[in-house]
Amino acid sequence: MKDQYQIAVLPGDGIGREVMAACEHVLQAVEKRVGIRLGLQWLPAGAQHYVDTGDALPQSTLKACEAADAILFGAMGLPHVRGADGTEIIPQLDLRMHFDLYAGVRPIRTFAGLPTPLSHPRAQAIDLVLVRENTEGLFYARGRGDVRGDEEVFDTMRITRKGTSRICEFAFGLAERRARRLGRQGHVTNVDKANVFASMAFFRKVFEEVAARHAGVGSDSAYVDAMALNLVLKPWNYDVLVTENMFGDILSDLIAALVGGMGMAPSGDIGDRVGLFQPAHGTAPDIAGQGKANPTAMILSAAMMLDWLAGRSGDARLGDAAALIERSVEQVFASGGVRPMEFGGAHGTREITEAVTGALAEAM
Amino acid sequence: MKDQYQIAVLPGDGIGREVMAACEHVLQAVEKRVGIRLGLQWLPAGAQHYVDTGDALPQSTLKACEAADAILFGAMGLPHVRGADGTEIIPQLDLRMHFDLYAGVRPIRTFAGLPTPLSHPRAQAIDLVLVRENTEGLFYARGRGDVRGDEEVFDTMRITRKGTSRICEFAFGLAERRARRLGRQGHVTNVDKANVFASMAFFRKVFEEVAARHAGVGSDSAYVDAMALNLVLKPWNYDVLVTENMFGDILSDLIAALVGGMGMAPSGDIGDRVGLFQPAHGTAPDIAGQGKANPTAMILSAAMMLDWLAGRSGDARLGDAAALIERSVEQVFASGGVRPMEFGGAHGTREITEAVTGALAEAM
Ligand SMILES: CC(C)[C@H](C(=O)O)[C@@H](O)C(=O)O
Ligand SMILES: CC(C)[C@H](C(=O)O)[C@@H](O)C(=O)O
């Protein structure tokens, strides 16, 4: 329990800056309500900063992140802005490696009042979390590609016992907390391709060892292809999923689509020392600066951050703050008065933000 | 143009045998209608055959496949039946390598009369083909896993110019044929992860070279994660997709879900010498032997086979046969009288098969 929690804020590029400003308003409103103090420090980083300075992620920004209690991240990257080696400017991945943010936590849920792309009535009650291993798997290959002339390229996937064990432990811990909150048994589904790859068979083996240590939580394994199908046909059957980095990248976008897209999908990249929270969407340069961006994913990411900080600090006010934001967002959409543009509505960043801060101010 | 076309038939395990028997009925009906002769030779292979003989894919079966004009494949694999090294019995992958069946062709379309899991009205008109590279990519790692004690395992993804170039050529050729048939411009979307992996950047580079040789076809590239989202939110926007082996495995199941699941999804594994055609579903041991299996994917796979044979042989009767099957299946579901069990209906293998052969017999 601290007097003030230090939040390193990396708004980044494109709509990252707009949704971060919206999020800041919401955090100010919640500070007043629950009596916490958050010190938000805006820091430079991203593709535009690379254009301006030649550095996408300055040392000073990294230092400030190291000193902070948590990191809030907007979105980074701009089309046509590429590094010296021709690859995109994606400091996200550098931050994951630098801070060993091994758990990519990607929750999705439906909100009453917002349409889902699925016609099944149970699609109104989707509520699941995908836990993506964030530091190895196929992403181990990043920067290590073995390019042989203009003829062939090899990339290597790496699965370690340590990396798999800790991500599975994380998933079971999360399932236990969710089970307590939702008052039912938790369940973790491991998603792999153990029928074809030795690395994936190893992932499954370690998963099963970890599962045996969490007998109170149900568990099973599925192949990633079958899961891509099942997540469309019956996503309401799942609770917590855990999977390799690349599979997690694909499936987390898939499940975001089930609730209407990236505008509603928050995420956390969590390590043992610090956590970084960001909307799942990108910088959307096509709509940047027009006030059209849906800030909900960013706002929900801030709620995830507060919830995570509550768990670490034992400061119950932070948990209240997280719940208050979540409830206010629920209420705004449930009322039917506010609908983001990607859902065919007419409401942009400002209307949604004001509705959420309004609901926050009035909430019991 | 031949007197008789030789078809090697590998029914396999579980419902593979039932749907193959259904498919044989349909092929007999179509033979009469268009005056072709198909010599169907049932051959042993699969997990049960492995249990019985120690060999999942006997040499005699491979020889017969080599001599055939095309291969029809049911489904193979049974739970708890594993090879000496603990992996599943999946001769599919061996056949792809043995015959160099480099193009995994996975078309999906909605059928009038059958509900789709998507609520958008345009979901009634999904019609796209995913072309999966079938012989390299991450699947190069199969059987090559580098297992280091009980601590870490490496698997290698391989992308070659030759492999990428031929699969992209295949995709553009397919888009050109579809464009002629549908009377509109064709479009190929390459799906990769070029922002992170050197191998995928190479895949994109080769794709763009091939695209430049097919100026009449539109083309673009997308990241696999974004595509997982877009395929749920707006699948009607796509025509032909081309992608790496593992991505193709995942996305082809995803798109099968969009039209109600594997029971409706045919596929072809096509090489320069021979083509193998199989339903996208597995052996479904839980419903095997009960007459519940939906034979549609198998029947549509046979139609794909005939269409492919027509292209190779120049025998127009085969093209007529393919179109006749497709139209009959359309008609059966459009009538509303027949609905497979996975769509909440009460009709099993026999009812669906009889309805299709009935429609075939009456078709103009
Ligand atoms: C920006 C990109 C490199 C990143 C990833 O692939 O991990 C993104 O898609 C994500 O899911 O966080
Ligand atoms: C059976 C399995 C090995 C196979 C694959 O992964 O390719 C299947 O999922 C497919 O899509 O054909």
Side-chain angles (χ1 to χ4, degrees), chain A residues 88 116-119 138 150-155 157-159 161 193 197 199 205 223 225 249 253, chain B residues 88 117-119 138 150-155 157-159 161 193 197 199 205 223 225 249 253:
Chain A
E88 276 183 46
T116 84
L118 300 181
S119 52
L138 193 59
D150 202 31
E151 287 308 316
E152 55 183 341
V153 182
F154 294 86
D155 270 320
M157 168 144 98
R158 180 188 195 214
I159 299 292
R161 167 171 290 280
K193 189 82 187 175
F197 304 110
S199 58
K205 180 184 162 194
Y223 298 136
D225 47 336
D249 183 39
D253 274 41
Chain B
E88 275 183 46
L118 300 180
S119 52
L138 193 58
D150 202 30
E151 288 308 315
E152 56 183 340
V153 183
F154 294 85
D155 270 319
M157 167 144 100
R158 179 189 195 213
I159 300 292
R161 167 171 290 279
K193 188 82 187 176
F197 304 109
S199 59
K205 180 184 163 196
Y223 298 137
D225 47 335
D249 183 38
D253 274 40

Side-chain angles (χ1 to χ4, degrees), chain A residues 225-238:
Chain A
D225 47 336
M227 189 54 74
L229 179 114
N230 286 332
L231 284 172
V232 174
L233 292 183
K234 40 187 181 183
W236 42 85
N237 277 355
Y238 300 97

Side-chain angles (χ1 to χ4, degrees), chain A residues 182-230:
Chain A
L182 303 170
R184 53 151 169 145
Q185 213 212 358
H187 194 95
V188 181
T189 302
N190 160 48
V191 185
D192 63 36
K193 189 82 187 175
N195 51 342
V196 177
F197 304 110
S199 58
M200 292 281 105
F202 185 59
F203 194 99
R204 184 175 290 205
K205 180 184 162 194
V206 175
F207 170 80
E208 286 170 355
E209 289 170 17
V210 174
R213 295 202 286 271
H214 296 268
V217 180
S219 71
D220 64 349
S221 291
Y223 298 136
V224 61
D225 47 336
M227 189 54 74
L229 179 114
N230 286 332

Side-chain angles (χ1 to χ4, degrees), chain B residues 10-17 43-58 61 73 75-83 88-92 283 285 288:
Chain B
L10 278 59
D13 304 303
I15 63 165
R17 309 189 73 80
L43 299 161
Q48 189 55 50
H49 196 71
Y50 177 81
V51 171
D52 297 343
T53 68
D55 193 356
L57 191 59
T61 292
F73 187 104
M76 291 189 193
L78 290 172
H80 315 303
V81 178
R82 304 208 163 237
E88 275 183 46
I89 304 291
I90 32 182
Q92 292 90 312
T283 56

